[in-house]
Amino acid sequence: MLRLFALLFWLLLSTAPALAQTPAISRAPALAQPGPQRTVRIEAELVPMSQWAAPGSTAIVAVRQIIEPGWHTYWRNPGDSGGPTTLDWTLPAGVVAGDIVWPTPERQRLQHLMNYGYAGEVLLPAPIEVPADARPGSTLPLIVRALFLVCSDEMCVPDELTLRLDLPIRQGAAPLDARYGAAIQAVVETAPRPAGIAARAVLEGRTLRLSATGGPLAGLEPQRAWFFPFETGLIDHSTPQPGERGPDGVTLNLSVGGKLAAEGLTGPIGGILVTDDGAWEIAAVAGPALPGAGGGGALDLSERPAGGGSATWTGFLQAALLALLGGLILNLMPCVFPILAMKAAALTAGAHAPAEARRDGLAFLAGVLTTFLVLAGILLALRAGGQAVGWGFQLQSPGVVAALALLMLAVGLNLSGVFHVGAGLQAAGSGPLSRLSGAVGAFFTGVLAVVVAAPCTAPFMAFALGAALLMPWPMALVVFLMLGLGLALPYVIVSLSPRLLAKLPRPGPWMDRLKGLLAFPMYGAGLWLVWVFARQAGADALGVLFLAILFLGLGLWLAGINQTRRSQGGAAVISAVTATLSIVGAIALTGVAIGQARAESDASTASSGPLASAPWSVEAVAAAQAEGRPVLVNFTADWCVTCKINERTSLSSPRVAEAMAASNAVYLVGDWTRRDDAITRELERRRRSGVPLYLFYAPGSPEPRILPQLLTEGVVIDALESARP
């Protein structure tokens, strides 16, 4: 029965995300004004190469970046860390934007990392196809949402700016724009492009030997050369690229990256070859070295110093330490209590069997760390694929929420004695009654602890996870594992300490009562998840989920009856079949409920708490600031227990309402219950990976003050009073 239940549950979990997919919600482009737009790290502007564009022509415009000293942005392949600048265009009908014409990047070394990017002033040109029916004398409004990952030696911040250019339409050839036309033209002319260079690549152990000859390389004999691959993972970016020059080209010896080491040379390798004399696109095909690519002496390995990098060892160690502290504090958060209460009872049950306690403690730790590793891997993979997700992303899916609600019900019924997990492996009434059976049960409880802890964000945890999501993936995984270690550490320490175990009470009849009592936190967690599902999916889907809960309860009750009969030597084929069909029916009904989930949540228009509120947006903040009013922003979610506690205790009192009215403040709510990419980007901008997040904008201050995650009435009132004249 244990195997059947586990199989069915994981089947539901695996199919729920697919069932929960809903059509994307279309959004109007953000309001934009011509001219430079700024953050504290970067200024950007959409500028033209020519003074106007003719109908039926291809105009060149560029995103001009002015990056603050000590910061940098990235090329199309960022190297060991980071992410490229992306442009999302909003254009009139018939107007088409082409890909970025990438200038040659700099090699930006930071200790053992090597990134490819830009610093200072950068122009990223892009072609714009103007339709032949464009009317002379009119203008084309070109709007682009530019997302820059701006990094220093200590941190990375995603900065998003919406830029606008009104491009005039006139007949005839247009002269260059007086301000930036010549600079854009120079970038376009010198940007790497194919130039008739032949290139070959051959794998020799852990080295990729790349040779290039012909075209503009013939007769150059450059002193220095580098290869920048278009695709990440092909080479080790940070290692030197020794090589030699020849009369017709160059040869480089590149250290193989993970993808080439695993798959071998399966196709052409594209990239740019950069020398003292220029940069060109090449595509190296498999084959022996080309003649004329060597024999003229070794290349100079020195490179111009270029600052940059998205992570330092100091920042990594700081994030890891804060993650450990955040994991420890996570044990005190309300969403983790049901699971840890059950494990505390299990610890008491095994207190006088030290070997069992040690086994369960280590199994619990393994379950916690494995689940953190899986969640972190999924999260990092989704973000690498361009998805805007953060911590707790799984609870934004109605399918996952419904699956967890059924799981909480099943665990509660198990604790109430309706059925037994592992009853076939141990005699009824023997063994630890307040836990799942053996190391497998301890491991599975560790998994549950992490999944249920996802709605919580403890102090120190937000900064650690926000920093981890911008680090290279090996560092990010270590930070997530440190968070898991902090969550499991108290239980593991007690389970490994005979002296602490000896102080716990001996098992007895009281454990049956405790086991039944601990079922109620699980029922409470299940009810809370059902409420979250209702907020996400609507009343019709909720009704179907209630039927699924009824079928699951019936199936598990019948399973418990069948277990009792078998323990007494009887057989009940009909009840076993009925139990299985009921559980399968519960899973099917849950799938139907997920399919009925609304494509759009009403939560974004609802007030979060008793304070009068409006939905958060960048434009709403800007409008309130333009009026000289203070702004309090609450980023929340229905599945975030900490958020709801703060709203009930610190954002609902009469004193807070009076302070809001006295300061003429605006209260904005960003609801993250369902996925919202705009909120995710704002969280990333504030170096947070999840909710809650509280921002307070004082009048005249462009940057907000970040309030504590464990909010108090006094903190809110002090912030509001500080903004009063």
Side-chain angles (χ1 to χ4, degrees):
M1 191 64 199
L2 170 61
R3 293 180 180 177
L4 174 62
F5 179 72
L7 175 62
L8 293 174
F9 171 70
W10 287 115
L11 177 63
L12 177 59
L13 275 184
S14 63
T15 57
L19 291 169
Q21 289 179 352
T22 56
I25 301 171
S26 61
R27 293 180 173 86
L31 296 176
Q33 297 296 326
Q37 306 297 318
R38 299 177 181 85
T39 71
V40 296
R41 293 157 293 274
I42 189 171
E43 174 186 305
E45 183 180 5
L46 191 60
V47 295
M49 187 175 80
S50 302
Q51 293 182 15
W52 66 77
S57 67
T58 298
I60 303 293
V61 301
V63 174
R64 176 176 176 262
Q65 306 173 47
I66 302 294
I67 307 167
E68 288 294 312
W71 297 82
H72 63 273
T73 58
Y74 291 95
W75 185 54
R76 57 183 291 181
N77 173 7
D80 285 328
S81 62
T85 297
T86 60
L87 303 180
D88 184 10
W89 294 91
T90 300
L91 302 170
V95 180
V96 179
D99 295 333
I100 294 173
V101 179
W102 293 95
T104 303
E106 297 176 334
R107 288 166 56 87
Q108 301 169 328
R109 179 172 292 279
L110 179 64
Q111 297 185 18
H112 70 291
L113 301 178
M114 178 63 73
N115 298 324
Y116 305 144
Y118 310 100
E121 182 176 0
V122 185
L123 288 164
L124 299 182
I128 302 293
E129 296 181 12
V130 180
D133 59 357
R135 182 170 53 85
S138 64
T139 59
L140 292 180
L142 310 179
I143 300 175
V144 64
R145 187 176 65 184
L147 179 61
F148 311 96
L149 186 61
V150 192
C151 296
S152 69
D153 288 351
E154 300 294 333
M155 62 186 295
C156 283
V157 181
D159 277 338
E160 181 180 292
L161 294 172
T162 302
L163 313 175
R164 175 170 180 152
L165 171 66
D166 292 325
L167 184 65
I169 302 298
R170 298 181 187 175
Q171 293 287 2
L176 292 177
D177 178 76
R179 294 188 305 161
Y180 305 113
I184 297 174
Q185 185 180 50
V187 171
V188 172
E189 291 175 350
T190 60
R193 56 176 46 85
I197 297 175
R200 299 275 182 85
V202 59
L203 273 175
E204 299 176 353
R206 299 285 300 182
T207 299
L208 180 71
R209 189 170 177 84
L210 186 148
S211 58
T213 60
L217 291 176
L220 285 181
E221 296 192 9
Q223 298 300 307
R224 298 186 299 178
W226 302 271
F227 178 66
F228 295 72
F230 290 146
E231 185 178 352
T232 188
L234 296 180
I235 67 172
D236 185 344
H237 306 289
S238 62
T239 58
Q241 298 185 1
E244 54 183 330
R245 57 184 174 272
D248 294 321
V250 295
T251 297
L252 294 174
N253 297 304
L254 313 173
S255 296
V256 172
K259 184 173 182 179
L260 274 181
E263 301 177 5
L265 192 58
T266 58
I269 296 178
I272 62 173
L273 180 66
V274 181
T275 72
D276 300 323
D277 302 293
W280 307 274
E281 283 190 22
I282 62 173
V285 298
L290 291 166
L299 293 168
D300 183 359
L301 291 179
S302 64
E303 32 185 315
R304 295 182 299 249
S310 65
T312 64
W313 282 107
T314 301
F316 165 65
L317 293 175
Q318 181 185 22
L321 178 60
L322 291 177
L324 179 65
L325 294 175
L328 287 169
I329 297 175
L330 199 58
N331 286 283
L332 305 177
M333 307 305 285
C335 49
V336 188
F337 171 74
I339 299 298
L340 294 186
M342 191 167 68
K343 290 314 297 176
L347 193 61
T348 302
H352 300 279
E356 288 188 8
R358 286 193 297 271
R359 177 201 66 192
D360 284 7
L362 295 176
F364 178 72
L365 174 64
V368 169
L369 295 183
T370 300
T371 311
F372 262 109
L373 197 63
V374 170
L375 283 178
I378 295 173
L379 179 58
L380 293 173
L382 289 174
R383 293 173 69 89
Q387 299 295 314
V389 293
W391 182 244
F393 69 97
Q394 65 274 26
L395 291 182
Q396 292 177 327
S397 165
V400 175
V401 172
L404 287 175
L406 295 183
L407 179 62
M408 294 299 107
L409 171 64
V411 174
L413 292 175
N414 173 251
L415 292 172
S416 295
V418 173
F419 73 105
H420 302 283
V421 177
L425 303 178
Q426 61 185 44
S430 65
L433 297 176
S434 62
R435 58 181 174 171
L436 298 175
S437 58
V440 175
F443 180 91
F444 185 61
T445 308
V447 174
L448 271 180
V450 177
V451 174
V452 176
C456 284
T457 305
F460 305 115
M461 178 177 160
F463 171 81
L465 294 185
L469 292 177
L470 298 172
M471 291 178 178
W473 69 264
M475 290 184 174
L477 291 181
V478 171
V479 172
F480 276 94
L481 289 177
M482 291 296 286
L483 179 61
L485 178 61
L487 175 64
L489 197 57
Y491 179 81
V492 173
I493 289 175
V494 175
S495 67
L496 297 178
S497 174
R499 290 186 179 180
L500 292 175
L501 286 171
K503 295 181 180 180
L504 296 175
R506 290 184 174 276
W510 61 272
M511 291 184 59
D512 283 330
R513 295 189 292 272
L514 178 61
K515 177 184 175 184
L517 178 64
L518 290 178
F520 289 93
M522 308 309 296
Y523 294 141
L527 290 173
W528 163 66
L529 287 165
V530 169
W531 174 75
V532 173
F533 180 84
R535 296 275 291 177
Q536 293 176 331
D540 292 341
L542 178 63
V544 180
L545 182 62
F546 280 150
L547 284 177
I549 291 172
L550 179 63
F551 271 72
L552 180 64
L554 173 63
L556 294 179
W557 177 71
L558 290 172
I561 291 177
N562 194 49
Q563 288 174 336
T564 302
R565 289 178 178 175
R566 283 191 297 175
S567 66
Q568 297 173 354
V573 176
I574 295 178
S575 62
V577 172
T578 306
T580 302
L581 292 176
S582 297
I583 295 174
V584 171
I587 295 175
L589 286 168
T590 305
V592 174
I594 296 167
Q596 290 185 355
R598 288 196 304 259
E600 192 170 343
S601 175
D602 293 336
S604 59
T605 60
S607 173
S608 183
L611 291 178
S613 68
W616 169 87
S617 68
V618 175
E619 293 76 24
V621 173
Q625 287 185 301
E627 296 175 359
R629 302 175 66 183
V631 183
L632 177 63
V633 181
N634 172 16
F635 291 105
T636 182
D638 287 339
W639 42 259
C640 172
V641 179
T642 307
C643 304
K644 294 306 171 186
I645 291 176
N646 285 338
E647 288 161 13
R648 296 291 185 271
T649 60
S650 306
L651 294 173
S652 61
S653 71
R655 292 184 59 207
V656 170
E658 292 171 3
M660 291 284 292
S663 60
N664 194 28
V666 176
Y667 180 46
L668 301 177
V669 175
D671 196 309
W672 210 38
T673 302
R674 294 291 294 268
R675 175 174 167 175
D676 189 309
D677 290 351
I679 293 177
T680 305
R681 286 190 292 268
E682 184 68 13
L683 294 174
E684 292 171 342
R685 185 182 178 194
R686 306 302 171 190
R687 300 202 72 198
R688 295 294 187 267
S689 64
V691 291
L693 173 64
Y694 305 102
L695 304 179
F696 181 75
Y697 294 82
S701 176
E703 288 298 309
R705 169 186 167 191
I706 299 180
L707 303 183
Q709 289 178 308
L710 294 180
L711 209 57
T712 65
E713 180 187 73
V715 167
V716 179
I717 293 174
D718 288 345
L720 292 167
E721 290 183 346
S722 68
R724 294 175 63 179

